[in-house]
Amino acid sequence: MADENEPLLDKEKTRRSPEKVPIWTSCRYGLAIMSTLGFLNAYTMRVNLTIALVAMVNHTQQPALNGSEDCIQNVNITHDEKPAEFGWDATTQNTILGAFYYGYIFTQIPAGWLAGRFGGKLVFGLGILFTAVFTLLTPLAARTATWLLIAVRVAEGLAEGVLFPAMHAMWRSWAPPIERSKLVTISLSGGNLGIMLALPVSGIMCQHFGWPVVFYAFGTLGCLWFVAWMFLVYNSPRDHPRISHIEREYIEQSLLREGTSLSKTTSTPWLSFATSVPVWGLIITHICFNWGTYTLSTNLPTYMKEILLFDLTQDGFLSALPYLCMWLVQVLGGQLADKLREQQLFSTAAVRKLFNSLGMLLQGVFLVLAGYVSCHQQYLGVLFLTVGIASSGLGMSGFQINHLDIAPRHAGVLMGITNCIATVPGFAGPAVVGFLTKHAKTWPSRKLQWQKVFYIAGGIYAFGTLTFLLMGRGTVQEWAKEESEQGHKSTQKGLLVNQDQTQDDTTIVT
């Protein structure tokens, strides 16, 4: 079932027995765990505002939809007995929520370039540290001026924009080709864990300790993580002082057999990026995937409250449930994807397209179904949302890892390019939700508008699926091989002479 144009991975060359190549005590899995915790911290600081905002905003400005019998009646704006500090309308709230992505879009490409040249450790670490600092400043900014809160959220976006490109640049040096799906999905799954943690915990903190505690707690955890990251993580196997000789040789030889150079990235093929069909396939697919992902991660608590009629505490826990399931699907999907490649049942391209299609189509179908749930079927709505969002975890073994398949040497900057453009849905999606729902003052009218939101997401998912099926590839592209093949020859020669000899700076992996 392999693509005839794509040679299957040689099992004898890419596999080592578990006794010879450690897993649970390995440095590559140590990096996976630390980066998981890093993404966890980043996403708690990204999404905590979606719950905190419910407690921050004066609910006299919101439509009260507070009963299963009332949900099919016209409901006018009523007063909530619980006072809040801010009287922001729906437009202002969506501006605040979307501000993060206005910053997030600008640092993607520079981060990929910097990580490719100098290593991703410091770029990734500082991204989370600065996010943590701005998170700690959020309560002060909100109480000072609305524009200052928006500015702080933009700054958080600038800081977090470096994370995905920097981590892809690191996995270029650390992930053996046959283990890419496993390692990268474990690493990126931290984002889902962060959402899963932030939503319910933020709701509890807001109710019992006040909304500012949400930002102080998660900001402090981010700072503590940064200290551990700087002591435990290194840019490459060659830089790591505690890695075993067997593991380092296994990683480096696996990369060399693929044709991935161990040398620094000295130039970036910008023109090749612009004219490559697989690159454009990744860009379009990434945009389509992020549309639904960002729309839900930003607006799911609002949907739970206004359409399914859950209170704040229920809102947080039930909004988190889909992301717990998504985390499980993402990690297990990565294991299955690499198993299919390792056993030569599917080519890399076939695996990426299969998992990507399942992840995007299933989510689109179940989101559309969720739009037809009534207020008397609350938990059926939660079930549809959970299955849909969890299914998207399969997509992480699809397009998300494909950057490392087609251009491992330039994976960091390539991820920066696709994620930069795919950030547009981060502010466009919430804006569309705000536009569609802001004039709907009754439960039936708001439900109808949310159906439109889900239909739009479903159509975009279908388009992204078709795009990747037609344009996706699974092998290193010719324009990505030129420099790596030269580095392969010189580096392999040095390794054969003396595996333990300290390598010259021109061949250090960054």
Side-chain angles (χ1 to χ4, degrees), residues 75-88:
V75 182
N76 296 318
I77 294 177
T78 59
H79 291 270
D80 194 320
E81 296 180 358
K82 187 175 181 179
E85 288 191 47
F86 307 101
W88 298 320

Side-chain angles (χ1 to χ4, degrees), residues 69-298:
E69 295 297 324
D70 295 336
C71 70
I72 58 173
Q73 305 295 329
N74 288 352
V75 182
N76 296 318
I77 294 177
T78 59
H79 291 270
D80 194 320
E81 296 180 358
K82 187 175 181 179
E85 288 191 47
F86 307 101
W88 298 320
D89 59 20
T91 301
T92 303
Q93 292 178 55
N94 279 291
T95 300
I96 293 169
L97 290 173
F100 176 94
Y101 298 99
Y102 285 100
Y104 190 71
I105 196 170
F106 285 107
T107 48
Q108 299 281 338
I109 297 175
W113 184 85
L114 288 170
R117 290 228 172 183
F118 307 108
K121 172 184 174 178
L122 190 59
V123 176
F124 189 87
L126 288 177
I128 294 182
L129 176 63
F130 283 124
T131 303
V133 171
F134 288 119
T135 298
L136 292 169
L137 294 175
T138 298
L140 176 62
R143 287 167 169 165
T144 301
T146 303
W147 67 264
L148 188 57
L149 173 60
I150 293 172
V152 165
R153 290 294 291 178
V154 171
E156 287 185 41
L158 288 168
E160 279 201 27
V162 309
L163 302 186
F164 281 93
M167 187 48 56
H168 264 55
M170 292 193 73
W171 283 124
R172 171 251 176 173
S173 302
W174 276 98
I178 198 60
E179 294 183 4
R180 277 181 183 147
S181 301
K182 299 175 185 177
L183 291 168
V184 177
T185 53
I186 290 172
S187 177
L188 301 185
S189 70
N192 299 321
L193 288 175
I195 297 174
M196 180 193 73
L197 174 67
L199 293 177
V201 172
S202 295
I204 293 172
M205 287 182 177
C206 286
Q207 284 205 329
H208 296 284
F209 305 105
W211 63 265
V213 175
V214 172
F215 302 100
Y216 297 142
F218 291 129
T220 300
L221 288 175
C223 293
L224 294 175
W225 171 90
F226 173 76
V227 175
W229 173 263
M230 295 305 294
F231 277 104
L232 298 176
V233 171
Y234 295 84
N235 281 317
S236 71
R238 283 273 161 177
D239 294 334
H240 205 300
R242 295 181 297 276
I243 190 171
S244 68
H245 169 75
I246 293 174
E247 183 182 10
R248 188 182 73 188
E249 180 184 356
Y250 166 63
I251 295 171
E252 292 180 344
Q253 291 294 336
S254 297
L255 293 171
L256 288 172
R257 278 192 291 269
E258 182 194 43
T260 300
S261 172
L262 301 182
S263 62
K264 291 181 180 180
T265 301
T266 56
S267 63
T268 303
W270 300 107
L271 182 60
S272 297
F273 288 156
T275 57
S276 171
V277 170
V279 169
W280 280 104
L282 277 176
I283 290 172
I284 295 170
T285 306
H286 206 155
I287 292 171
C288 295
F289 186 87
N290 277 9
W291 182 278
T293 300
Y294 286 154
T295 298
L296 286 173
S297 65
T298 304

Side-chain angles (χ1 to χ4, degrees), residues 27-37 171 182-183 186-187:
C27 293
R28 65 190 187 282
Y29 277 87
L31 172 60
I33 292 171
M34 284 301 300
S35 58
T36 297
L37 295 175
W171 283 124
K182 299 175 185 177
L183 291 168
I186 290 172
S187 177

Side-chain angles (χ1 to χ4, degrees), residues 182 332 361:
K182 299 175 185 177
L332 294 176
L361 289 178

